[in-house]
Amino acid sequence: MEVIASPTEMQRWSERARHRGDTIAFVPTMGFLHEGHLTLMREGRKRASVLASSLFVNPTQFGPSEDFARYPRNFEGDCAMMRTVPVDVLFAPEPDAMYPQGSQTFVEAIEVTKGLCGDHRPGHFRGVTTVVAKLFNIVKPHVALFGEKDYQQLRAIERMVKDLNFDLEIVPVATVREADGLAMSSRNAYLKPEEREKALSLHRALKAAGACFRAGAREPDQLVRAARAVLESASGVRIEYVEAVDAATLEPLPTIDRPVVVAIAAYVGTTRLIDNLVLGRSA
Ligand code: PAF
């Protein structure tokens, strides 16, 4: 695996690959990899002739009181995991290379980042779409893969790609879960053993919403109430939001007559976790 830190060198690498006739699949990450990332990477391998990844803990997507400084990092471990896939090239820039002095241009998808996490993490999605746009211009992929666990992020990136005519395909990949249902996340590393048990209530809450939908409920509020009841009965879980919205636009739905996403953000101790479930879409 080649490791490149300079944006210009990475651009040259990709230009050479494209010139040779290779196609490039890309999985951007903030590191501290888990099976969810590896699933994206393995899927990427199938979809192109070379696989690129990036490792960059992006400061612009963290709020001032968020966990940027303590975000888990393990560069050597991440490289070892990427080699097992294998990843062909890793772009791992320093913050100064991504945001040199004087940087002042941002990319923002407006409507799709309203509600859900957008309401609770001001500036977060602007940071995500900005860094992803930059990464696309640097890595020049034909296809890029994103997990459905970060559902609003996925929709914001799809919107940006469409609105700004990026010439690449976005491939969504289903959330990877532990055997007991916990959605994989780098932030699970923050959980103490007793908190990890409580964190399972997010998945249980989504299952309750799913059962409610399958029993015939077609009002978003019914799904929200079913999920909330589970979260509220779990001690040590603080709900940030539970919403059931249009799975395509993330706008409120008066009645469920199209695919709906039930999305949760909740704190277990000091750890903020998110999870979601899409209902009513064909498999
Ligand atoms: O999902 C993530 O890990 C990050 O938000 C991403 C897409 C790599 C941008 O920093």
Side-chain angles (χ1 to χ4, degrees), residues 163-200:
D163 290 350
L164 298 186
N165 305 86
F166 277 98
D167 189 12
L168 58 91
E169 183 194 356
I170 299 295
V171 174
V173 176
T175 302
V176 179
R177 298 180 181 279
E178 306 278 1
D180 57 11
L182 183 68
M184 290 199 185
S185 163
S186 303
R187 289 189 169 97
N188 291 350
Y190 297 146
L191 297 169
K192 300 185 188 115
E194 66 278 13
E195 290 175 338
R196 197 196 168 287
E197 183 56 35
K198 290 174 182 164
L200 292 176

PDB file of all heavy atoms in Angstrom, residues 163-200:
ATOM      1  N   ASP A 163     -25.681  18.206  -7.249  1.00  0.00           N
ATOM      2  CA  ASP A 163     -25.773  19.662  -7.454  1.00  0.00           C
ATOM      3  C   ASP A 163     -24.508  20.239  -8.085  1.00  0.00           C
ATOM      4  O   ASP A 163     -24.574  21.217  -8.818  1.00  0.00           O
ATOM      5  CB  ASP A 163     -26.034  20.374  -6.114  1.00  0.00           C
ATOM      6  CG  ASP A 163     -27.435  20.095  -5.587  1.00  0.00           C
ATOM      7  OD1 ASP A 163     -28.249  19.520  -6.326  1.00  0.00           O
ATOM      8  OD2 ASP A 163     -27.705  20.447  -4.423  1.00  0.00           O
ATOM      9  N   LEU A 164     -23.352  19.670  -7.747  1.00  0.00           N
ATOM     10  CA  LEU A 164     -22.094  20.231  -8.258  1.00  0.00           C
ATOM     11  C   LEU A 164     -21.523  19.424  -9.429  1.00  0.00           C
ATOM     12  O   LEU A 164     -20.370  19.627  -9.827  1.00  0.00           O
ATOM     13  CB  LEU A 164     -21.064  20.341  -7.134  1.00  0.00           C
ATOM     14  CG  LEU A 164     -21.449  21.276  -5.972  1.00  0.00           C
ATOM     15  CD1 LEU A 164     -20.296  21.416  -4.983  1.00  0.00           C
ATOM     16  CD2 LEU A 164     -21.852  22.656  -6.474  1.00  0.00           C
ATOM     17  N   ASN A 165     -22.316  18.488  -9.961  1.00  0.00           N
ATOM     18  CA  ASN A 165     -21.918  17.707 -11.141  1.00  0.00           C
ATOM     19  C   ASN A 165     -20.582  16.977 -10.972  1.00  0.00           C
ATOM     20  O   ASN A 165     -19.775  16.908 -11.908  1.00  0.00           O
ATOM     21  CB  ASN A 165     -21.859  18.600 -12.393  1.00  0.00           C
ATOM     22  CG  ASN A 165     -23.158  19.318 -12.623  1.00  0.00           C
ATOM     23  OD1 ASN A 165     -23.386  20.397 -12.065  1.00  0.00           O
ATOM     24  ND2 ASN A 165     -24.023  18.727 -13.391  1.00  0.00           N
ATOM     25  N   PHE A 166     -20.356  16.439  -9.791  1.00  0.00           N
ATOM     26  CA  PHE A 166     -19.163  15.599  -9.644  1.00  0.00           C
ATOM     27  C   PHE A 166     -19.351  14.371 -10.526  1.00  0.00           C
ATOM     28  O   PHE A 166     -20.434  13.757 -10.514  1.00  0.00           O
ATOM     29  CB  PHE A 166     -18.990  15.155  -8.187  1.00  0.00           C
ATOM     30  CG  PHE A 166     -18.301  16.165  -7.323  1.00  0.00           C
ATOM     31  CD1 PHE A 166     -19.026  17.028  -6.517  1.00  0.00           C
ATOM     32  CD2 PHE A 166     -16.914  16.251  -7.313  1.00  0.00           C
ATOM     33  CE1 PHE A 166     -18.391  17.967  -5.722  1.00  0.00           C
ATOM     34  CE2 PHE A 166     -16.269  17.178  -6.516  1.00  0.00           C
ATOM     35  CZ  PHE A 166     -17.006  18.038  -5.719  1.00  0.00           C
ATOM     36  N   ASP A 167     -18.326  14.012 -11.275  1.00  0.00           N
ATOM     37  CA  ASP A 167     -18.429  12.908 -12.230  1.00  0.00           C
ATOM     38  C   ASP A 167     -18.022  11.600 -11.546  1.00  0.00           C
ATOM     39  O   ASP A 167     -16.954  11.045 -11.804  1.00  0.00           O
ATOM     40  CB  ASP A 167     -17.532  13.220 -13.436  1.00  0.00           C
ATOM     41  CG  ASP A 167     -17.746  12.225 -14.560  1.00  0.00           C
ATOM     42  OD1 ASP A 167     -18.728  11.459 -14.499  1.00  0.00           O
ATOM     43  OD2 ASP A 167     -16.903  12.204 -15.478  1.00  0.00           O
ATOM     44  N   LEU A 168     -18.852  11.159 -10.620  1.00  0.00           N
ATOM     45  CA  LEU A 168     -18.567   9.906  -9.923  1.00  0.00           C
ATOM     46  C   LEU A 168     -19.863   9.340  -9.377  1.00  0.00           C
ATOM     47  O   LEU A 168     -20.871  10.034  -9.272  1.00  0.00           O
ATOM     48  CB  LEU A 168     -17.544  10.126  -8.798  1.00  0.00           C
ATOM     49  CG  LEU A 168     -17.878  11.144  -7.711  1.00  0.00           C
ATOM     50  CD1 LEU A 168     -18.599  10.476  -6.554  1.00  0.00           C
ATOM     51  CD2 LEU A 168     -16.600  11.776  -7.195  1.00  0.00           C
ATOM     52  N   GLU A 169     -19.782   8.057  -9.011  1.00  0.00           N
ATOM     53  CA  GLU A 169     -20.969   7.368  -8.470  1.00  0.00           C
ATOM     54  C   GLU A 169     -20.811   7.207  -6.964  1.00  0.00           C
ATOM     55  O   GLU A 169     -19.736   6.835  -6.481  1.00  0.00           O
ATOM     56  CB  GLU A 169     -21.069   5.983  -9.134  1.00  0.00           C
ATOM     57  CG  GLU A 169     -22.276   5.190  -8.717  1.00  0.00           C
ATOM     58  CD  GLU A 169     -22.197   3.705  -9.106  1.00  0.00           C
ATOM     59  OE1 GLU A 169     -21.213   3.322  -9.771  1.00  0.00           O
ATOM     60  OE2 GLU A 169     -23.106   2.956  -8.722  1.00  0.00           O
ATOM     61  N   ILE A 170     -21.884   7.503  -6.240  1.00  0.00           N
ATOM     62  CA  ILE A 170     -21.887   7.268  -4.785  1.00  0.00           C
ATOM     63  C   ILE A 170     -22.597   5.937  -4.530  1.00  0.00           C
ATOM     64  O   ILE A 170     -23.732   5.739  -4.974  1.00  0.00           O
ATOM     65  CB  ILE A 170     -22.642   8.393  -4.036  1.00  0.00           C
ATOM     66  CG1 ILE A 170     -21.983   9.746  -4.268  1.00  0.00           C
ATOM     67  CG2 ILE A 170     -22.758   8.081  -2.542  1.00  0.00           C
ATOM     68  CD1 ILE A 170     -20.584   9.885  -3.707  1.00  0.00           C
ATOM     69  N   VAL A 171     -21.921   5.062  -3.809  1.00  0.00           N
ATOM     70  CA  VAL A 171     -22.511   3.762  -3.485  1.00  0.00           C
ATOM     71  C   VAL A 171     -22.778   3.688  -1.982  1.00  0.00           C
ATOM     72  O   VAL A 171     -21.838   3.737  -1.177  1.00  0.00           O
ATOM     73  CB  VAL A 171     -21.555   2.610  -3.896  1.00  0.00           C
ATOM     74  CG1 VAL A 171     -22.098   1.261  -3.435  1.00  0.00           C
ATOM     75  CG2 VAL A 171     -21.346   2.618  -5.394  1.00  0.00           C
ATOM     76  N   PRO A 172     -24.059   3.602  -1.589  1.00  0.00           N
ATOM     77  CA  PRO A 172     -24.379   3.435  -0.167  1.00  0.00           C
ATOM     78  C   PRO A 172     -24.190   1.972   0.240  1.00  0.00           C
ATOM     79  O   PRO A 172     -24.490   1.073  -0.532  1.00  0.00           O
ATOM     80  CB  PRO A 172     -25.864   3.799  -0.079  1.00  0.00           C
ATOM     81  CG  PRO A 172     -26.302   4.187  -1.463  1.00  0.00           C
ATOM     82  CD  PRO A 172     -25.275   3.692  -2.425  1.00  0.00           C
ATOM     83  N   VAL A 173     -23.686   1.765   1.439  1.00  0.00           N
ATOM     84  CA  VAL A 173     -23.472   0.392   1.934  1.00  0.00           C
ATOM     85  C   VAL A 173     -24.176   0.257   3.285  1.00  0.00           C
ATOM     86  O   VAL A 173     -24.076   1.143   4.155  1.00  0.00           O
ATOM     87  CB  VAL A 173     -21.951   0.082   2.058  1.00  0.00           C
ATOM     88  CG1 VAL A 173     -21.722  -1.301   2.663  1.00  0.00           C
ATOM     89  CG2 VAL A 173     -21.290   0.175   0.682  1.00  0.00           C
ATOM     90  N   ALA A 174     -24.902  -0.866   3.440  1.00  0.00           N
ATOM     91  CA  ALA A 174     -25.714  -1.083   4.653  1.00  0.00           C
ATOM     92  C   ALA A 174     -24.844  -1.048   5.912  1.00  0.00           C
ATOM     93  O   ALA A 174     -23.670  -1.444   5.890  1.00  0.00           O
ATOM     94  CB  ALA A 174     -26.433  -2.421   4.554  1.00  0.00           C
ATOM     95  N   THR A 175     -25.444  -0.582   6.997  1.00  0.00           N
ATOM     96  CA  THR A 175     -24.754  -0.512   8.294  1.00  0.00           C
ATOM     97  C   THR A 175     -24.277  -1.897   8.720  1.00  0.00           C
ATOM     98  O   THR A 175     -25.032  -2.869   8.633  1.00  0.00           O
ATOM     99  CB  THR A 175     -25.743   0.032   9.361  1.00  0.00           C
ATOM    100  OG1 THR A 175     -26.201   1.312   8.917  1.00  0.00           O
ATOM    101  CG2 THR A 175     -25.085   0.150  10.727  1.00  0.00           C
ATOM    102  N   VAL A 176     -23.043  -1.950   9.180  1.00  0.00           N
ATOM    103  CA  VAL A 176     -22.507  -3.218   9.697  1.00  0.00           C
ATOM    104  C   VAL A 176     -22.690  -3.208  11.208  1.00  0.00           C
ATOM    105  O   VAL A 176     -22.389  -2.211  11.873  1.00  0.00           O
ATOM    106  CB  VAL A 176     -21.015  -3.386   9.318  1.00  0.00           C
ATOM    107  CG1 VAL A 176     -20.464  -4.695   9.875  1.00  0.00           C
ATOM    108  CG2 VAL A 176     -20.862  -3.342   7.802  1.00  0.00           C
ATOM    109  N   ARG A 177     -23.207  -4.312  11.737  1.00  0.00           N
ATOM    110  CA  ARG A 177     -23.527  -4.386  13.174  1.00  0.00           C
ATOM    111  C   ARG A 177     -22.724  -5.489  13.856  1.00  0.00           C
ATOM    112  O   ARG A 177     -22.346  -6.472  13.217  1.00  0.00           O
ATOM    113  CB  ARG A 177     -25.028  -4.662  13.362  1.00  0.00           C
ATOM    114  CG  ARG A 177     -25.891  -3.562  12.808  1.00  0.00           C
ATOM    115  CD  ARG A 177     -27.385  -3.812  12.969  1.00  0.00           C
ATOM    116  NE  ARG A 177     -28.087  -2.691  12.369  1.00  0.00           N
ATOM    117  CZ  ARG A 177     -28.274  -1.509  12.978  1.00  0.00           C
ATOM    118  NH1 ARG A 177     -27.858  -1.347  14.221  1.00  0.00           N
ATOM    119  NH2 ARG A 177     -28.875  -0.516  12.354  1.00  0.00           N
ATOM    120  N   GLU A 178     -22.510  -5.301  15.154  1.00  0.00           N
ATOM    121  CA  GLU A 178     -21.962  -6.385  15.963  1.00  0.00           C
ATOM    122  C   GLU A 178     -23.028  -7.477  16.034  1.00  0.00           C
ATOM    123  O   GLU A 178     -24.206  -7.218  15.731  1.00  0.00           O
ATOM    124  CB  GLU A 178     -21.677  -5.893  17.396  1.00  0.00           C
ATOM    125  CG  GLU A 178     -20.804  -4.657  17.477  1.00  0.00           C
ATOM    126  CD  GLU A 178     -19.311  -4.958  17.375  1.00  0.00           C
ATOM    127  OE1 GLU A 178     -18.927  -6.132  17.221  1.00  0.00           O
ATOM    128  OE2 GLU A 178     -18.544  -3.987  17.438  1.00  0.00           O
ATOM    129  N   ALA A 179     -22.636  -8.680  16.523  1.00  0.00           N
ATOM    130  CA  ALA A 179     -23.577  -9.804  16.580  1.00  0.00           C
ATOM    131  C   ALA A 179     -24.826  -9.425  17.393  1.00  0.00           C
ATOM    132  O   ALA A 179     -25.934  -9.877  17.087  1.00  0.00           O
ATOM    133  CB  ALA A 179     -22.894 -11.019  17.188  1.00  0.00           C
ATOM    134  N   ASP A 180     -24.681  -8.574  18.417  1.00  0.00           N
ATOM    135  CA  ASP A 180     -25.837  -8.220  19.250  1.00  0.00           C
ATOM    136  C   ASP A 180     -26.610  -7.011  18.716  1.00  0.00           C
ATOM    137  O   ASP A 180     -27.535  -6.528  19.374  1.00  0.00           O
ATOM    138  CB  ASP A 180     -25.406  -7.970  20.706  1.00  0.00           C
ATOM    139  CG  ASP A 180     -24.335  -6.889  20.826  1.00  0.00           C
ATOM    140  OD1 ASP A 180     -24.079  -6.189  19.829  1.00  0.00           O
ATOM    141  OD2 ASP A 180     -23.761  -6.748  21.918  1.00  0.00           O
ATOM    142  N   GLY A 181     -26.231  -6.492  17.554  1.00  0.00           N
ATOM    143  CA  GLY A 181     -27.021  -5.438  16.914  1.00  0.00           C
ATOM    144  C   GLY A 181     -26.410  -4.048  17.002  1.00  0.00           C
ATOM    145  O   GLY A 181     -26.842  -3.136  16.290  1.00  0.00           O
ATOM    146  N   LEU A 182     -25.408  -3.852  17.858  1.00  0.00           N
ATOM    147  CA  LEU A 182     -24.815  -2.508  17.985  1.00  0.00           C
ATOM    148  C   LEU A 182     -24.175  -2.095  16.653  1.00  0.00           C
ATOM    149  O   LEU A 182     -23.370  -2.838  16.087  1.00  0.00           O
ATOM    150  CB  LEU A 182     -23.758  -2.499  19.101  1.00  0.00           C
ATOM    151  CG  LEU A 182     -23.113  -1.144  19.388  1.00  0.00           C
ATOM    152  CD1 LEU A 182     -24.129  -0.171  19.997  1.00  0.00           C
ATOM    153  CD2 LEU A 182     -21.913  -1.295  20.325  1.00  0.00           C
ATOM    154  N   ALA A 183     -24.569  -0.922  16.158  1.00  0.00           N
ATOM    155  CA  ALA A 183     -23.995  -0.440  14.902  1.00  0.00           C
ATOM    156  C   ALA A 183     -22.515  -0.135  15.120  1.00  0.00           C
ATOM    157  O   ALA A 183     -22.148   0.499  16.105  1.00  0.00           O
ATOM    158  CB  ALA A 183     -24.726   0.827  14.460  1.00  0.00           C
ATOM    159  N   MET A 184     -21.671  -0.604  14.209  1.00  0.00           N
ATOM    160  CA  MET A 184     -20.231  -0.361  14.377  1.00  0.00           C
ATOM    161  C   MET A 184     -19.924   1.112  14.189  1.00  0.00           C
ATOM    162  O   MET A 184     -20.458   1.764  13.297  1.00  0.00           O
ATOM    163  CB  MET A 184     -19.450  -1.213  13.405  1.00  0.00           C
ATOM    164  CG  MET A 184     -19.516  -2.663  13.773  1.00  0.00           C
ATOM    165  SD  MET A 184     -18.208  -3.597  13.008  1.00  0.00           S
ATOM    166  CE  MET A 184     -18.684  -5.233  13.531  1.00  0.00           C
ATOM    167  N   SER A 185     -19.058   1.612  15.053  1.00  0.00           N
ATOM    168  CA  SER A 185     -18.673   3.019  15.017  1.00  0.00           C
ATOM    169  C   SER A 185     -17.342   3.160  15.731  1.00  0.00           C
ATOM    170  O   SER A 185     -17.100   2.479  16.738  1.00  0.00           O
ATOM    171  CB  SER A 185     -19.736   3.851  15.754  1.00  0.00           C
ATOM    172  OG  SER A 185     -19.228   5.123  16.082  1.00  0.00           O
ATOM    173  N   SER A 186     -16.507   4.063  15.225  1.00  0.00           N
ATOM    174  CA  SER A 186     -15.228   4.293  15.910  1.00  0.00           C
ATOM    175  C   SER A 186     -15.481   4.800  17.322  1.00  0.00           C
ATOM    176  O   SER A 186     -14.694   4.562  18.237  1.00  0.00           O
ATOM    177  CB  SER A 186     -14.395   5.315  15.133  1.00  0.00           C
ATOM    178  OG  SER A 186     -14.217   4.858  13.815  1.00  0.00           O
ATOM    179  N   ARG A 187     -16.590   5.518  17.512  1.00  0.00           N
ATOM    180  CA  ARG A 187     -16.882   6.093  18.829  1.00  0.00           C
ATOM    181  C   ARG A 187     -17.323   5.030  19.846  1.00  0.00           C
ATOM    182  O   ARG A 187     -17.362   5.318  21.039  1.00  0.00           O
ATOM    183  CB  ARG A 187     -17.938   7.194  18.723  1.00  0.00           C
ATOM    184  CG  ARG A 187     -17.401   8.453  18.050  1.00  0.00           C
ATOM    185  CD  ARG A 187     -18.363   9.619  18.132  1.00  0.00           C
ATOM    186  NE  ARG A 187     -17.751  10.866  17.712  1.00  0.00           N
ATOM    187  CZ  ARG A 187     -17.859  11.399  16.489  1.00  0.00           C
ATOM    188  NH1 ARG A 187     -18.556  10.783  15.563  1.00  0.00           N
ATOM    189  NH2 ARG A 187     -17.257  12.532  16.198  1.00  0.00           N
ATOM    190  N   ASN A 188     -17.624   3.794  19.404  1.00  0.00           N
ATOM    191  CA  ASN A 188     -17.944   2.741  20.373  1.00  0.00           C
ATOM    192  C   ASN A 188     -16.748   2.506  21.299  1.00  0.00           C
ATOM    193  O   ASN A 188     -16.915   1.994  22.404  1.00  0.00           O
ATOM    194  CB  ASN A 188     -18.305   1.419  19.670  1.00  0.00           C
ATOM    195  CG  ASN A 188     -19.629   1.519  18.926  1.00  0.00           C
ATOM    196  OD1 ASN A 188     -20.363   2.492  19.087  1.00  0.00           O
ATOM    197  ND2 ASN A 188     -19.934   0.517  18.108  1.00  0.00           N
ATOM    198  N   ALA A 189     -15.565   2.887  20.832  1.00  0.00           N
ATOM    199  CA  ALA A 189     -14.356   2.708  21.656  1.00  0.00           C
ATOM    200  C   ALA A 189     -14.441   3.515  22.946  1.00  0.00           C
ATOM    201  O   ALA A 189     -13.753   3.213  23.920  1.00  0.00           O
ATOM    202  CB  ALA A 189     -13.122   3.132  20.854  1.00  0.00           C
ATOM    203  N   TYR A 190     -15.269   4.566  22.973  1.00  0.00           N
ATOM    204  CA  TYR A 190     -15.400   5.377  24.194  1.00  0.00           C
ATOM    205  C   TYR A 190     -16.217   4.665  25.273  1.00  0.00           C
ATOM    206  O   TYR A 190     -16.202   5.075  26.428  1.00  0.00           O
ATOM    207  CB  TYR A 190     -16.146   6.695  23.903  1.00  0.00           C
ATOM    208  CG  TYR A 190     -15.488   7.648  22.936  1.00  0.00           C
ATOM    209  CD1 TYR A 190     -16.277   8.435  22.086  1.00  0.00           C
ATOM    210  CD2 TYR A 190     -14.115   7.817  22.884  1.00  0.00           C
ATOM    211  CE1 TYR A 190     -15.712   9.342  21.205  1.00  0.00           C
ATOM    212  CE2 TYR A 190     -13.541   8.720  22.000  1.00  0.00           C
ATOM    213  CZ  TYR A 190     -14.344   9.472  21.174  1.00  0.00           C
ATOM    214  OH  TYR A 190     -13.790  10.373  20.315  1.00  0.00           O
ATOM    215  N   LEU A 191     -17.029   3.659  24.859  1.00  0.00           N
ATOM    216  CA  LEU A 191     -18.010   3.080  25.792  1.00  0.00           C
ATOM    217  C   LEU A 191     -17.353   2.171  26.823  1.00  0.00           C
ATOM    218  O   LEU A 191     -16.571   1.281  26.475  1.00  0.00           O
ATOM    219  CB  LEU A 191     -19.062   2.277  25.007  1.00  0.00           C
ATOM    220  CG  LEU A 191     -19.936   3.061  24.027  1.00  0.00           C
ATOM    221  CD1 LEU A 191     -20.739   2.095  23.146  1.00  0.00           C
ATOM    222  CD2 LEU A 191     -20.871   4.012  24.786  1.00  0.00           C
ATOM    223  N   LYS A 192     -17.714   2.373  28.099  1.00  0.00           N
ATOM    224  CA  LYS A 192     -17.306   1.441  29.147  1.00  0.00           C
ATOM    225  C   LYS A 192     -18.207   0.199  29.007  1.00  0.00           C
ATOM    226  O   LYS A 192     -19.294   0.299  28.423  1.00  0.00           O
ATOM    227  CB  LYS A 192     -17.521   2.077  30.524  1.00  0.00           C
ATOM    228  CG  LYS A 192     -16.732   3.351  30.708  1.00  0.00           C
ATOM    229  CD  LYS A 192     -16.900   3.867  32.140  1.00  0.00           C
ATOM    230  CE  LYS A 192     -16.272   5.234  32.269  1.00  0.00           C
ATOM    231  NZ  LYS A 192     -17.254   6.297  32.560  1.00  0.00           N
ATOM    232  N   PRO A 193     -17.787  -0.973  29.563  1.00  0.00           N
ATOM    233  CA  PRO A 193     -18.585  -2.193  29.350  1.00  0.00           C
ATOM    234  C   PRO A 193     -20.058  -2.015  29.708  1.00  0.00           C
ATOM    235  O   PRO A 193     -20.948  -2.436  28.960  1.00  0.00           O
ATOM    236  CB  PRO A 193     -17.911  -3.217  30.262  1.00  0.00           C
ATOM    237  CG  PRO A 193     -16.513  -2.733  30.409  1.00  0.00           C
ATOM    238  CD  PRO A 193     -16.557  -1.231  30.303  1.00  0.00           C
ATOM    239  N   GLU A 194     -20.353  -1.362  30.838  1.00  0.00           N
ATOM    240  CA  GLU A 194     -21.775  -1.220  31.224  1.00  0.00           C
ATOM    241  C   GLU A 194     -22.500  -0.249  30.274  1.00  0.00           C
ATOM    242  O   GLU A 194     -23.714  -0.383  30.031  1.00  0.00           O
ATOM    243  CB  GLU A 194     -21.928  -0.799  32.703  1.00  0.00           C
ATOM    244  CG  GLU A 194     -21.417   0.584  33.076  1.00  0.00           C
ATOM    245  CD  GLU A 194     -19.905   0.664  33.330  1.00  0.00           C
ATOM    246  OE1 GLU A 194     -19.173  -0.299  32.992  1.00  0.00           O
ATOM    247  OE2 GLU A 194     -19.449   1.703  33.854  1.00  0.00           O
ATOM    248  N   GLU A 195     -21.771   0.690  29.709  1.00  0.00           N
ATOM    249  CA  GLU A 195     -22.387   1.627  28.750  1.00  0.00           C
ATOM    250  C   GLU A 195     -22.677   0.921  27.418  1.00  0.00           C
ATOM    251  O   GLU A 195     -23.669   1.205  26.753  1.00  0.00           O
ATOM    252  CB  GLU A 195     -21.461   2.813  28.502  1.00  0.00           C
ATOM    253  CG  GLU A 195     -21.345   3.729  29.704  1.00  0.00           C
ATOM    254  CD  GLU A 195     -20.332   4.848  29.479  1.00  0.00           C
ATOM    255  OE1 GLU A 195     -19.436   4.699  28.616  1.00  0.00           O
ATOM    256  OE2 GLU A 195     -20.430   5.859  30.178  1.00  0.00           O
ATOM    257  N   ARG A 196     -21.775   0.010  27.057  1.00  0.00           N
ATOM    258  CA  ARG A 196     -21.968  -0.715  25.799  1.00  0.00           C
ATOM    259  C   ARG A 196     -23.304  -1.470  25.824  1.00  0.00           C
ATOM    260  O   ARG A 196     -24.032  -1.529  24.835  1.00  0.00           O
ATOM    261  CB  ARG A 196     -20.812  -1.681  25.559  1.00  0.00           C
ATOM    262  CG  ARG A 196     -20.743  -2.137  24.110  1.00  0.00           C
ATOM    263  CD  ARG A 196     -19.891  -3.332  23.891  1.00  0.00           C
ATOM    264  NE  ARG A 196     -20.137  -3.838  22.544  1.00  0.00           N
ATOM    265  CZ  ARG A 196     -21.244  -4.482  22.179  1.00  0.00           C
ATOM    266  NH1 ARG A 196     -22.222  -4.683  23.052  1.00  0.00           N
ATOM    267  NH2 ARG A 196     -21.393  -4.913  20.936  1.00  0.00           N
ATOM    268  N   GLU A 197     -23.622  -2.044  26.985  1.00  0.00           N
ATOM    269  CA  GLU A 197     -24.894  -2.758  27.164  1.00  0.00           C
ATOM    270  C   GLU A 197     -26.072  -1.791  26.948  1.00  0.00           C
ATOM    271  O   GLU A 197     -27.038  -2.094  26.247  1.00  0.00           O
ATOM    272  CB  GLU A 197     -24.897  -3.365  28.577  1.00  0.00           C
ATOM    273  CG  GLU A 197     -26.107  -4.200  28.929  1.00  0.00           C
ATOM    274  CD  GLU A 197     -26.353  -5.353  27.948  1.00  0.00           C
ATOM    275  OE1 GLU A 197     -25.363  -5.931  27.447  1.00  0.00           O
ATOM    276  OE2 GLU A 197     -27.546  -5.631  27.688  1.00  0.00           O
ATOM    277  N   LYS A 198     -25.937  -0.597  27.550  1.00  0.00           N
ATOM    278  CA  LYS A 198     -27.021   0.401  27.415  1.00  0.00           C
ATOM    279  C   LYS A 198     -27.155   0.888  25.966  1.00  0.00           C
ATOM    280  O   LYS A 198     -28.249   1.208  25.501  1.00  0.00           O
ATOM    281  CB  LYS A 198     -26.739   1.605  28.327  1.00  0.00           C
ATOM    282  CG  LYS A 198     -26.883   1.243  29.791  1.00  0.00           C
ATOM    283  CD  LYS A 198     -26.468   2.362  30.702  1.00  0.00           C
ATOM    284  CE  LYS A 198     -26.601   1.874  32.148  1.00  0.00           C
ATOM    285  NZ  LYS A 198     -25.892   2.705  33.093  1.00  0.00           N
ATOM    286  N   ALA A 199     -26.020   0.913  25.274  1.00  0.00           N
ATOM    287  CA  ALA A 199     -26.021   1.395  23.883  1.00  0.00           C
ATOM    288  C   ALA A 199     -26.877   0.506  22.981  1.00  0.00           C
ATOM    289  O   ALA A 199     -27.363   0.951  21.931  1.00  0.00           O
ATOM    290  CB  ALA A 199     -24.589   1.454  23.350  1.00  0.00           C
ATOM    291  N   LEU A 200     -27.081  -0.753  23.405  1.00  0.00           N
ATOM    292  CA  LEU A 200     -27.906  -1.658  22.591  1.00  0.00           C
ATOM    293  C   LEU A 200     -29.345  -1.170  22.483  1.00  0.00           C
ATOM    294  O   LEU A 200     -30.097  -1.594  21.607  1.00  0.00           O
ATOM    295  CB  LEU A 200     -27.905  -3.066  23.213  1.00  0.00           C
ATOM    296  CG  LEU A 200     -26.574  -3.816  23.153  1.00  0.00           C
ATOM    297  CD1 LEU A 200     -26.691  -5.143  23.881  1.00  0.00           C
ATOM    298  CD2 LEU A 200     -26.180  -4.037  21.698  1.00  0.00           C
TER     299      LEU A 200
END
